[in-house]
Amino acid sequence: MIRVEDLHRHFGGFRAVDGASLSIESGSITGLIGPNGAGKSTLFNVIAGVLPPTSGRVFMDGQDITGLPPHELFHRGLLRTFQLAHEFASMTVRENLMMVPGGQTGETIWSTWLQRARIEREEAELHKKADEVLDFLTIRHLAHEKAGNLSGGQKKLLELGRTMMVDAKVVFLDEVGAGVNRTLLGTIGDAIVRLNRERGYTFCVIEHDMDFIAKLCNPVIVMATGQVLAEGAADEIMQNEAVIEAYLGTGLKNKIKAEAEA
Amino acid sequence: EEIKLGTSLGFTGPLESMAPAMQAGAELAAKEISDSGLLLDGSTVTLVKGDSTCADAAAATATVERLITAEKVRGIVGGMCSGETIASLENVAVPNGIVMISPSATSPALSEIEDNGLFFRTSPSDARQGEVMANIIMDKGIQNVAVTYTNNDYGKGLAESFQAAFEEKGGTVTVNSAHEDGKADYSAEVAALAAAGGDALVVAGYVDQGGSGVVRAALDTGAFDTFVFPDGMVGQALVDNFGTEIDGSFGQNPAAEGEGRDTYVAMATEAGFDGTGAFSAEAYDAAALMLLAMAAAGSSDPGSYKDKIMDIANEPGEKILPGELAKGLEIINGGGDIDYVGATSVELVGAGESAGVYREVAFNGGALEVVGYR
Amino acid sequence: MDILNAVVAILNFVVIPAAAYGAQLALGALGVTLIYGILRFSNFAHGDTMAFGTAVTILATWGLQALGISLGPLPTALLALPVGIAATAAMVLATDRTVYRFYRAQKAKPIILVMASVGVMFLMNGFTRLLIGVDEQRFADGARFIMDVRSFRELTGLKEGLAFKTTQGLTIVIAVIVVWALFWFLNRTKSGKAMRAYSDNEDLALLSGIDPEKVVRMTWIIAAALATIAGTLYGLDKAFKPFNYFQILLPIFAAAIVGGLGNPVGAIAGGFLVAFSEVAVTYPWLKIAGYLFPDWQPGGLLQLLGTEYKFAVSFVILIVVLLFRPTGLFRGKSV
Amino acid sequence: MSDSHYLSATGMRGGYGKADILDNCTLTVDKGQIAVIVGPNGAGKSTAMKAVFGMLHLRQGRVTLDGEDITALSPQDRVKKGMGFVPQVNNVFPSMSVEENLEMGAFIRENDIRTTMEQVFDLFPVLKDKRRQPAGELSGGQRQQVAVGRALMTQPRLLMLDEPTAGVSPIVMDELFDRIIEIARSGISILMVEQNARQALEIADIGYVLVQGANRYTDTGQALLADPEVRRTFLGG
Amino acid sequence: MSTNRQAASASIWRAPVLFAILAALFVLEGTVRNGMFSGSWNTSLAILNMGLISAITALGVNMQWGYAGLFNVGVVGFLALGGLAPVLISTQPVEGAWEAGGPRLLIALAAAVGTLALAAQVRKRLPKWRGLAVTAVLIGGFIIYRWLFDPAATAIEANNPARHGNIGGLGLPVLLSWAVGGVFAAAAAWAVGKVALGLRSDYLAIATLGIGEIIVAVLKNEDWLARGVKNVTTIPRPVPFEIQLQRNPEFLELANSWGMAASTASGIWVKLCYMLLFLVVLLSIILLAELALKSPWGRMMRAIRDNETAAEAMGKDVTARHLQVFILGSAVIGIAGAMMITLDGLMAPVGYNPLRYTFLIWVMVIVGGSGNNWGAVLGAVLIWFLWIKAEIWGPELIALLTSPMPDGNLKAHLLASAAHMRFIAMGLVLLLVLRFAPRGLVPEK
Ligand SMILES: Nc1ncnc2c1ncn2[C@@H]1O[C@H](COP(=O)(O)OP(=O)(O)OP(=O)(O)O)[C@@H](O)[C@H]1O
Ligand SMILES: Nc1ncnc2c1ncn2[C@@H]1O[C@H](COP(=O)(O)OP(=O)(O)OP(=O)(O)O)[C@@H](O)[C@H]1O
Ligand SMILES: CC(C)C[C@H](N)C(=O)O
Ligand SMILES: [Mg+2]
Ligand SMILES: [Mg+2]
């Protein structure tokens, strides 16, 4: 589905992404993990057209999509969420969702003068759809709230909700879990699986919560210092010495125990 | 009767420092006539002030609209700058049949405007000044000059008419370029003028605007040391600003020979303002003309007194100087004829504009000297 | 070929005037950029703050002159500056208290503050005119020239003259000192860093124990000082006329923005860029060509564009710069 | 009434506009203790933290620190009283370098800050490499580390952290919790909000479960972890 | 917090009440005569007419800023460009101008456009040496353009320079020129937008400010176009001249039956005609704008204004939308510019100063409530009213303030400076409105 070939993205002299090559199989839920500053978000941003690459190519379904602007990628079915929530702060939560689908009749200015009836029909449908998504995210009661007033986690949910408004092909999720209540995160995980199975979405998920990754993702790609460090099934990865060394650590429990013993 | 006259002058805006002396001039005339008690059986005259802003035609139009339709003025002394004058004349004064006498709008365009005989000015058209200036320069034996003008209808009209006249006489204008008023810096303009060169620099600008800025920069860099100053520049302010630095420069402005002007300046000093201020005397004359014409017509109706203005201003008749307005009124009331000379040797020609007698001035020893009249 | 005369001509008509003008713009732009950087709005009242500060300085200068105090070859106005700065600081602090503080507390959008500053601009504009009138005021005294055209010609025997005014020299020297001091203050002192922190993230500054009102006060005081200094130097070099100080606002903003809003280095660079592009791009090369190639008789002035378009040209340059560096030469902020 | 707890915020009621977010919410921490707040998104956890720090108008309730009533104090004054706070979002100075961010944390301190800074760099080694880089250019997790580092620089008596581990990698999270324990051992009180609730409750002396602005459960961390109801509804099973 | 208070009090009655107050002001101005008001319908209507034009301008700015967050400070330029339309479309042709250099001029302009198009193509197509090639094309084009253009312009300007010296108009109806004014401004906005819309907030501001200055500079200095600073004064009117009415016996009778002097009645009649025309334009623009705003298009624009990155990620072509709304807004400003010149009957480029035609318009938009069309209209008419009235109210205010003072130098000085109270009064009003309605009089919902 997505293939990244020898991708570089440098900031001044700093190589945030430094020759990463990877591919995301169609129909998979691929996990992307790695230490802070490994270049995961930067990689996302390059794929999603927010940042131009320094060098390297990105392909989607065999077509070169390097450097295409984000709005075109959206119309090709590539959606993404942001690590720091990017809500439309002065719009209501429901409007945040209703604006998402592309090609709405009412988005052409002439139509707003000439095709009112049609627009109203479409709006009614969008409204229904948005409410379904809100129900799913447990924030229906906030439909009229300004998105800027949401709590940190609620913004994250809204971020995810937007990707559910359209039929996407591949969705990039940048730490949807950070700041989200774990019980709800479980539900979100279920939803991801369902979207994957029922609607055939491909997912690429950045997340630091290893339980979540382990439950959901296959395969898991590990990045470190701008390159791919390892790739494989979740349980393999968790055993990988290099990954433990760079990313997972030996675990908190051991330490507490050690201290108690001392 | 209480006769109201409006003044439409730029109290705020780019020429705000010129306006007060003009207003004072008009007030002086109005007061003189009021005090005499001789106008239309002891009518009093009050002036209603209007701010034309000089630059904003819409604001000026609104002001004149108010003066005419709300204050019910019987005539207007103004506008001040040509563009704004044209707008308010065409849009308000003419439709309402109100007389406007401008002391200072000098654009040649105003000579030909369709005014139903309602517009006059006590200053001459710049077309004339260009010729006079060309003659003066030629007489000094200067053949090459650079010209800088303030970029409005006044500056450009004057610069063009000067260039035409000067070249016809065989002179060369090395460069004729505009400067904008109120800019922060005139180095670029002076650099260009200096590069073009010339034996003198003609500054067709305003003394308290870009004109002085250009002169300042030209003096500082040594680009020119002889300047030619037309009416927008000649004034006490110029001497105050530059003192002996402009020794050897010269110029001209509309102002007639004779005691009229001196008397006026003395009267102004007594009244507590500077009568030498640019167009202050013209404003006095504009107001006086208008009121004397009312007396002659026996009515303050603009429709009837507009026809008297030319009679009052020109020969034949007894000459009337500033301070002698009462005498003028007496003569008129007695059925006599007057020739209003006023502070600027008023002589209206053509469609009612000053014929244009200019005094030639020279700057020496840090003072302005009048050397002759043309 | 006469290279010396050509060089002197360029120095005299382009380099020196543009450098002095650039320094004046830079000082003004520093004030604008500081307010933008820390209080996060474009302060349209800055030009009139400059006018106000200068007006007070002029009044104080006259007072000193009346007392017979002078600074020898330097303008007396330098002695009067502290008075002007103090009055202006009091003035802007009062405005802050009555006007801006309210919007800060409201966390109003920057545009609201901009509009409020337009209101303040009108007010100050009127007050300054009430204070000192609308006429041009001259208050420069002391020696006018460090080097004047005539002495230069006598000294060197060159045909071209070179003038360097005391005020130009002063402007450049003071600009350098002020800029250095401001840098030192912002980057090295605790208060300076607190100001930068406040400008970055107001709430977090609060959590770090920084007193926001103190930062705001300090910003205004520095801005008032910069405005008064800039205004006075400009007035000394050119002339003081309240209306001109509104007009100078445009190039000042251009300088601040092209340099990168909120960035002091940018303000300086911007000031010089604007000044030099105004003067240099419209410079006619006729005279220089005359010195370099005495036999060549070109038809025109060898001028790229007439001076009528100097403002336009400088803006074109600014726009081109911004196209390549969308937040100014030195990566400014944008709210 | 003097309070035996080091920090005690009792009966807090208040919000942003008309509607109250906090509903009679009470939080206390003792000296050297770690208190952890958990709860669903939008429960009012961050709001409660802001209220304790004086960034929110309280209609009811009072806050005391070390027995002293600080309900009316401004946030800066609370900083001077020894409170430090890491907000959930916007918690760095983006255009200032990492080092300057840390210096700002120590703004109110008069003594030498170099050793503290070294300690922070020891804790988050990556920050040392990036000390001259503007914080705005850091990755999400690195930023979070700067934010915590800044609060540590204050050397507070009470440290309040709003989701300090959001977005940091497991290895850093372990380090961070580790360090938090250490800090608490040295007598500093910790009040933190966490969504990595299980790890957090493990080290918590006291845990609060907040739902719709009200205290739902209050118990020791271990006890809450052991409660199946709590686990299922709030800790993700 | 008090924004909340304001939001709460912003009932549905707010706008109607404010409009009613505004209307009352105009009625007072028309009927009551005292120190504050003139009691003349002519004055009242004259202010209203200019206010309506300002309202249309403000609507244009509001589209750009209020809907899309584009900071256009080049309003004066687009207004001026719109004002060019009546001159070029509806003044009478100038004898001899076209023969002097018309065709050559057109060829020159075509060459200029061609050069730019070629440069753009070269830039797009050429893989290597792009910068150099583009520069070469531009320089070459410039030389050719000047070679074609200069003689033509000189010839046209030499054609009876005292009266004309310009290319002249087409003699078409002046109402048509309003639409053309919109097109002129839209075309310029397209070009500007293509280049500058990548810039943000204040950086865009300085770019547009510069472009405004450039447009005005061109109008001032290119005499062949519209006589430059020498002004064009013969703009035809869409309504009768007062003089015509005064000579029309039927009208005189009508005036008599109203009990009005012919001059007063004719003035009012003409202004009412203008008012009607302006209202039609204003209301049509508002109708179209409201329809667009209250539909997904408006929602999309708000999303873009809120967060461009996210909108882009959600498939909205931010650049294209910005360009669209920039062009639309500029077109509206251009229409207003053409209307203004028609009302003034005069094209005087010197008058186009940014204080009056850019910043005052901005004040109108913000005071009215950015993002809200009715707010923009209310703000525009109100601020214009105050701007005009400040001329009288300012001095009145100072007279009032100084009345308790003893006579003396200070009082005399203050009274003499009363004209400057215009600024002070304006500033005070602005600050007071912003203080008590920080989000504008009729805030965006
Ligand atoms: N605009 C920028 N300028 C300079 N350096 C940058 C910029 N953006 C990111 N970096 C650097 O690039 C590196 C990778 O950042 P990135 O955001 O991709 O990390 P990440 O893998 O997403 O980490 P995290 O898990 O913490 O979100 C970091 O070290 C960061 O400092
Ligand atoms: N500035 C604000 N204005 C109005 N309402 C707000 C504001 N900030 C938060 N809220 C509302 O207050 C409620 C509580 O928000 P808070 O941020 O305290 O939640 P939280 O428990 O921290 O959630 P999370 O775990 O998602 O961070 C939410 O419903 C939110 O919509
Ligand atoms: C006040 C004057 C200098 C005005 C000038 N003569 C003009 O016509 O615009
Ligand atoms: Mg990341
Ligand atoms: Mg929270």
PDB file of all heavy atoms in Angstrom, chain A residues 142 149-154 179, chain D residues 16 21 40-47 88 163 195, ligand 2:
ATOM      1  N   LEU A 142     -21.033  16.577  23.843  1.00  0.00           N
ATOM      2  CA  LEU A 142     -20.216  17.761  23.577  1.00  0.00           C
ATOM      3  C   LEU A 142     -20.426  18.300  22.164  1.00  0.00           C
ATOM      4  O   LEU A 142     -19.693  19.194  21.728  1.00  0.00           O
ATOM      5  CB  LEU A 142     -18.743  17.427  23.778  1.00  0.00           C
ATOM      6  CG  LEU A 142     -18.344  17.078  25.208  1.00  0.00           C
ATOM      7  CD1 LEU A 142     -16.923  16.559  25.249  1.00  0.00           C
ATOM      8  CD2 LEU A 142     -18.492  18.287  26.119  1.00  0.00           C
ATOM      9  N   ASN A 149     -12.551  24.166  23.584  1.00  0.00           N
ATOM     10  CA  ASN A 149     -12.778  24.003  25.016  1.00  0.00           C
ATOM     11  C   ASN A 149     -12.678  22.561  25.482  1.00  0.00           C
ATOM     12  O   ASN A 149     -12.891  22.291  26.661  1.00  0.00           O
ATOM     13  CB  ASN A 149     -14.181  24.519  25.381  1.00  0.00           C
ATOM     14  CG  ASN A 149     -14.266  26.025  25.292  1.00  0.00           C
ATOM     15  OD1 ASN A 149     -13.237  26.692  25.215  1.00  0.00           O
ATOM     16  ND2 ASN A 149     -15.459  26.555  25.285  1.00  0.00           N
ATOM     17  N   LEU A 150     -12.374  21.655  24.587  1.00  0.00           N
ATOM     18  CA  LEU A 150     -12.313  20.251  25.006  1.00  0.00           C
ATOM     19  C   LEU A 150     -11.088  19.997  25.874  1.00  0.00           C
ATOM     20  O   LEU A 150     -10.109  20.737  25.827  1.00  0.00           O
ATOM     21  CB  LEU A 150     -12.242  19.346  23.777  1.00  0.00           C
ATOM     22  CG  LEU A 150     -13.467  19.343  22.870  1.00  0.00           C
ATOM     23  CD1 LEU A 150     -13.306  18.287  21.799  1.00  0.00           C
ATOM     24  CD2 LEU A 150     -14.738  19.103  23.667  1.00  0.00           C
ATOM     25  N   SER A 151     -11.170  18.925  26.641  1.00  0.00           N
ATOM     26  CA  SER A 151      -9.999  18.529  27.415  1.00  0.00           C
ATOM     27  C   SER A 151      -8.975  17.898  26.486  1.00  0.00           C
ATOM     28  O   SER A 151      -9.282  17.555  25.345  1.00  0.00           O
ATOM     29  CB  SER A 151     -10.405  17.537  28.495  1.00  0.00           C
ATOM     30  OG  SER A 151     -10.579  16.264  27.921  1.00  0.00           O
ATOM     31  N   GLY A 152      -7.754  17.753  26.977  1.00  0.00           N
ATOM     32  CA  GLY A 152      -6.678  17.222  26.160  1.00  0.00           C
ATOM     33  C   GLY A 152      -7.047  15.910  25.492  1.00  0.00           C
ATOM     34  O   GLY A 152      -6.852  15.726  24.287  1.00  0.00           O
ATOM     35  N   GLY A 153      -7.604  14.995  26.256  1.00  0.00           N
ATOM     36  CA  GLY A 153      -7.936  13.694  25.703  1.00  0.00           C
ATOM     37  C   GLY A 153      -9.107  13.759  24.734  1.00  0.00           C
ATOM     38  O   GLY A 153      -9.122  13.066  23.709  1.00  0.00           O
ATOM     39  N   GLN A 154     -10.064  14.603  25.060  1.00  0.00           N
ATOM     40  CA  GLN A 154     -11.221  14.740  24.170  1.00  0.00           C
ATOM     41  C   GLN A 154     -10.802  15.228  22.792  1.00  0.00           C
ATOM     42  O   GLN A 154     -11.333  14.802  21.769  1.00  0.00           O
ATOM     43  CB  GLN A 154     -12.242  15.700  24.787  1.00  0.00           C
ATOM     44  CG  GLN A 154     -12.960  15.113  25.992  1.00  0.00           C
ATOM     45  CD  GLN A 154     -13.707  16.165  26.801  1.00  0.00           C
ATOM     46  OE1 GLN A 154     -13.434  17.356  26.695  1.00  0.00           O
ATOM     47  NE2 GLN A 154     -14.631  15.722  27.630  1.00  0.00           N
ATOM     48  N   GLY A 179      -2.603  10.419  26.405  1.00  0.00           N
ATOM     49  CA  GLY A 179      -3.580  11.262  27.067  1.00  0.00           C
ATOM     50  C   GLY A 179      -4.998  10.731  26.997  1.00  0.00           C
ATOM     51  O   GLY A 179      -5.908  11.379  27.478  1.00  0.00           O
TER      52      GLY A 179
ATOM     53  N   TYR D  16     -15.082  27.119  33.897  1.00  0.00           N
ATOM     54  CA  TYR D  16     -14.590  28.148  32.990  1.00  0.00           C
ATOM     55  C   TYR D  16     -15.636  29.206  32.684  1.00  0.00           C
ATOM     56  O   TYR D  16     -15.348  30.360  32.527  1.00  0.00           O
ATOM     57  CB  TYR D  16     -14.117  27.506  31.684  1.00  0.00           C
ATOM     58  CG  TYR D  16     -13.011  26.511  31.918  1.00  0.00           C
ATOM     59  CD1 TYR D  16     -13.295  25.161  32.091  1.00  0.00           C
ATOM     60  CD2 TYR D  16     -11.693  26.931  31.996  1.00  0.00           C
ATOM     61  CE1 TYR D  16     -12.271  24.260  32.318  1.00  0.00           C
ATOM     62  CE2 TYR D  16     -10.671  26.027  32.224  1.00  0.00           C
ATOM     63  CZ  TYR D  16     -10.963  24.678  32.382  1.00  0.00           C
ATOM     64  OH  TYR D  16      -9.958  23.799  32.609  1.00  0.00           O
ATOM     65  N   ILE D  21     -17.346  22.796  36.333  1.00  0.00           N
ATOM     66  CA  ILE D  21     -16.697  21.540  35.934  1.00  0.00           C
ATOM     67  C   ILE D  21     -16.410  20.726  37.190  1.00  0.00           C
ATOM     68  O   ILE D  21     -16.647  19.531  37.242  1.00  0.00           O
ATOM     69  CB  ILE D  21     -15.372  21.817  35.189  1.00  0.00           C
ATOM     70  CG1 ILE D  21     -15.600  22.752  34.002  1.00  0.00           C
ATOM     71  CG2 ILE D  21     -14.727  20.517  34.766  1.00  0.00           C
ATOM     72  CD1 ILE D  21     -16.349  22.167  32.851  1.00  0.00           C
ATOM     73  N   PRO D  40     -11.697   9.373  33.479  1.00  0.00           N
ATOM     74  CA  PRO D  40     -11.926   9.436  32.033  1.00  0.00           C
ATOM     75  C   PRO D  40     -11.571  10.820  31.466  1.00  0.00           C
ATOM     76  O   PRO D  40     -11.376  11.766  32.219  1.00  0.00           O
ATOM     77  CB  PRO D  40     -13.421   9.151  31.882  1.00  0.00           C
ATOM     78  CG  PRO D  40     -14.015   9.248  33.236  1.00  0.00           C
ATOM     79  CD  PRO D  40     -12.922   9.154  34.235  1.00  0.00           C
ATOM     80  N   ASN D  41     -11.508  10.898  30.154  1.00  0.00           N
ATOM     81  CA  ASN D  41     -11.210  12.164  29.514  1.00  0.00           C
ATOM     82  C   ASN D  41     -12.337  13.146  29.763  1.00  0.00           C
ATOM     83  O   ASN D  41     -13.505  12.818  29.652  1.00  0.00           O
ATOM     84  CB  ASN D  41     -11.033  11.981  28.005  1.00  0.00           C
ATOM     85  CG  ASN D  41      -9.814  11.149  27.698  1.00  0.00           C
ATOM     86  OD1 ASN D  41      -9.914  10.068  27.136  1.00  0.00           O
ATOM     87  ND2 ASN D  41      -8.663  11.647  28.090  1.00  0.00           N
ATOM     88  N   GLY D  42     -11.949  14.351  30.114  1.00  0.00           N
ATOM     89  CA  GLY D  42     -12.953  15.385  30.350  1.00  0.00           C
ATOM     90  C   GLY D  42     -13.548  15.320  31.743  1.00  0.00           C
ATOM     91  O   GLY D  42     -14.524  15.995  32.044  1.00  0.00           O
ATOM     92  N   ALA D  43     -12.957  14.516  32.616  1.00  0.00           N
ATOM     93  CA  ALA D  43     -13.507  14.382  33.960  1.00  0.00           C
ATOM     94  C   ALA D  43     -13.271  15.645  34.783  1.00  0.00           C
ATOM     95  O   ALA D  43     -13.961  15.895  35.761  1.00  0.00           O
ATOM     96  CB  ALA D  43     -12.881  13.190  34.661  1.00  0.00           C
ATOM     97  N   GLY D  44     -12.283  16.412  34.383  1.00  0.00           N
ATOM     98  CA  GLY D  44     -11.973  17.611  35.165  1.00  0.00           C
ATOM     99  C   GLY D  44     -10.651  17.497  35.891  1.00  0.00           C
ATOM    100  O   GLY D  44     -10.371  18.265  36.807  1.00  0.00           O
ATOM    101  N   LYS D  45      -9.827  16.556  35.489  1.00  0.00           N
ATOM    102  CA  LYS D  45      -8.550  16.366  36.175  1.00  0.00           C
ATOM    103  C   LYS D  45      -7.655  17.597  35.989  1.00  0.00           C
ATOM    104  O   LYS D  45      -7.126  18.152  36.969  1.00  0.00           O
ATOM    105  CB  LYS D  45      -7.840  15.115  35.624  1.00  0.00           C
ATOM    106  CG  LYS D  45      -8.661  13.841  35.746  1.00  0.00           C
ATOM    107  CD  LYS D  45      -7.924  12.621  35.248  1.00  0.00           C
ATOM    108  CE  LYS D  45      -7.646  12.657  33.747  1.00  0.00           C
ATOM    109  NZ  LYS D  45      -8.860  12.656  32.919  1.00  0.00           N
ATOM    110  N   SER D  46      -7.506  18.001  34.739  1.00  0.00           N
ATOM    111  CA  SER D  46      -6.667  19.171  34.496  1.00  0.00           C
ATOM    112  C   SER D  46      -7.270  20.400  35.149  1.00  0.00           C
ATOM    113  O   SER D  46      -6.564  21.261  35.683  1.00  0.00           O
ATOM    114  CB  SER D  46      -6.525  19.417  32.993  1.00  0.00           C
ATOM    115  OG  SER D  46      -5.930  18.310  32.375  1.00  0.00           O
ATOM    116  N   THR D  47      -8.571  20.466  35.103  1.00  0.00           N
ATOM    117  CA  THR D  47      -9.245  21.605  35.717  1.00  0.00           C
ATOM    118  C   THR D  47      -8.950  21.650  37.215  1.00  0.00           C
ATOM    119  O   THR D  47      -8.680  22.717  37.778  1.00  0.00           O
ATOM    120  CB  THR D  47     -10.757  21.509  35.462  1.00  0.00           C
ATOM    121  OG1 THR D  47     -10.967  21.307  34.064  1.00  0.00           O
ATOM    122  CG2 THR D  47     -11.473  22.756  35.910  1.00  0.00           C
ATOM    123  N   GLN D  88      -0.586  20.244  31.034  1.00  0.00           N
ATOM    124  CA  GLN D  88      -0.727  19.132  30.090  1.00  0.00           C
ATOM    125  C   GLN D  88      -0.280  19.540  28.691  1.00  0.00           C
ATOM    126  O   GLN D  88       0.380  18.783  28.000  1.00  0.00           O
ATOM    127  CB  GLN D  88      -2.200  18.708  30.063  1.00  0.00           C
ATOM    128  CG  GLN D  88      -2.471  17.509  29.182  1.00  0.00           C
ATOM    129  CD  GLN D  88      -3.912  17.013  29.356  1.00  0.00           C
ATOM    130  OE1 GLN D  88      -4.703  17.617  30.060  1.00  0.00           O
ATOM    131  NE2 GLN D  88      -4.222  15.905  28.732  1.00  0.00           N
ATOM    132  N   GLU D 163      -0.159  14.749  33.394  1.00  0.00           N
ATOM    133  CA  GLU D 163       0.210  13.749  32.394  1.00  0.00           C
ATOM    134  C   GLU D 163       1.653  13.901  31.922  1.00  0.00           C
ATOM    135  O   GLU D 163       1.899  14.128  30.741  1.00  0.00           O
ATOM    136  CB  GLU D 163      -0.749  13.808  31.209  1.00  0.00           C
ATOM    137  CG  GLU D 163      -2.185  13.669  31.668  1.00  0.00           C
ATOM    138  CD  GLU D 163      -3.117  13.116  30.607  1.00  0.00           C
ATOM    139  OE1 GLU D 163      -2.602  12.556  29.624  1.00  0.00           O
ATOM    140  OE2 GLU D 163      -4.326  13.225  30.785  1.00  0.00           O
ATOM    141  N   GLN D 195      -2.662   9.061  32.686  1.00  0.00           N
ATOM    142  CA  GLN D 195      -3.488   8.095  31.958  1.00  0.00           C
ATOM    143  C   GLN D 195      -2.758   6.757  31.889  1.00  0.00           C
ATOM    144  O   GLN D 195      -3.389   5.721  31.681  1.00  0.00           O
ATOM    145  CB  GLN D 195      -3.811   8.601  30.547  1.00  0.00           C
ATOM    146  CG  GLN D 195      -4.754   9.790  30.489  1.00  0.00           C
ATOM    147  CD  GLN D 195      -6.167   9.488  30.955  1.00  0.00           C
ATOM    148  OE1 GLN D 195      -6.470   8.406  31.477  1.00  0.00           O
ATOM    149  NE2 GLN D 195      -7.054  10.478  30.829  1.00  0.00           N
TER     150      GLN D 195
HETATM  151  N1  LIG F   2     -11.047  26.585  28.560  1.00  0.00           N
HETATM  152  C1  LIG F   2     -12.184  25.865  28.701  1.00  0.00           C
HETATM  153  N2  LIG F   2     -13.375  26.459  28.520  1.00  0.00           N
HETATM  154  C2  LIG F   2     -14.545  25.772  28.657  1.00  0.00           C
HETATM  155  N3  LIG F   2     -14.597  24.475  28.968  1.00  0.00           N
HETATM  156  C3  LIG F   2     -13.451  23.810  29.176  1.00  0.00           C
HETATM  157  C4  LIG F   2     -12.182  24.476  29.042  1.00  0.00           C
HETATM  158  N4  LIG F   2     -11.202  23.591  29.299  1.00  0.00           N
HETATM  159  C5  LIG F   2     -11.830  22.416  29.578  1.00  0.00           C
HETATM  160  N5  LIG F   2     -13.167  22.545  29.503  1.00  0.00           N
HETATM  161  C6  LIG F   2     -14.169  21.482  29.746  1.00  0.00           C
HETATM  162  O1  LIG F   2     -14.006  21.040  31.058  1.00  0.00           O
HETATM  163  C7  LIG F   2     -14.157  19.648  31.136  1.00  0.00           C
HETATM  164  C8  LIG F   2     -12.976  19.092  31.926  1.00  0.00           C
HETATM  165  O2  LIG F   2     -11.783  19.360  31.248  1.00  0.00           O
HETATM  166  P1  LIG F   2     -10.359  18.901  31.769  1.00  0.00           P
HETATM  167  O3  LIG F   2      -9.349  19.435  30.827  1.00  0.00           O
HETATM  168  O4  LIG F   2     -10.238  19.266  33.187  1.00  0.00           O
HETATM  169  O5  LIG F   2     -10.464  17.311  31.615  1.00  0.00           O
HETATM  170  P2  LIG F   2      -9.400  16.211  31.998  1.00  0.00           P
HETATM  171  O6  LIG F   2      -9.988  15.412  33.055  1.00  0.00           O
HETATM  172  O7  LIG F   2      -8.074  16.806  32.231  1.00  0.00           O
HETATM  173  O8  LIG F   2      -9.392  15.349  30.661  1.00  0.00           O
HETATM  174  P3  LIG F   2      -8.164  14.691  29.842  1.00  0.00           P
HETATM  175  O9  LIG F   2      -7.842  13.429  30.464  1.00  0.00           O
HETATM  176  O10 LIG F   2      -8.768  14.485  28.492  1.00  0.00           O
HETATM  177  O11 LIG F   2      -7.049  15.676  29.837  1.00  0.00           O
HETATM  178  C9  LIG F   2     -14.210  19.113  29.721  1.00  0.00           C
HETATM  179  O12 LIG F   2     -15.544  18.692  29.465  1.00  0.00           O
HETATM  180  C10 LIG F   2     -13.889  20.289  28.853  1.00  0.00           C
HETATM  181  O13 LIG F   2     -14.732  20.303  27.725  1.00  0.00           O
END
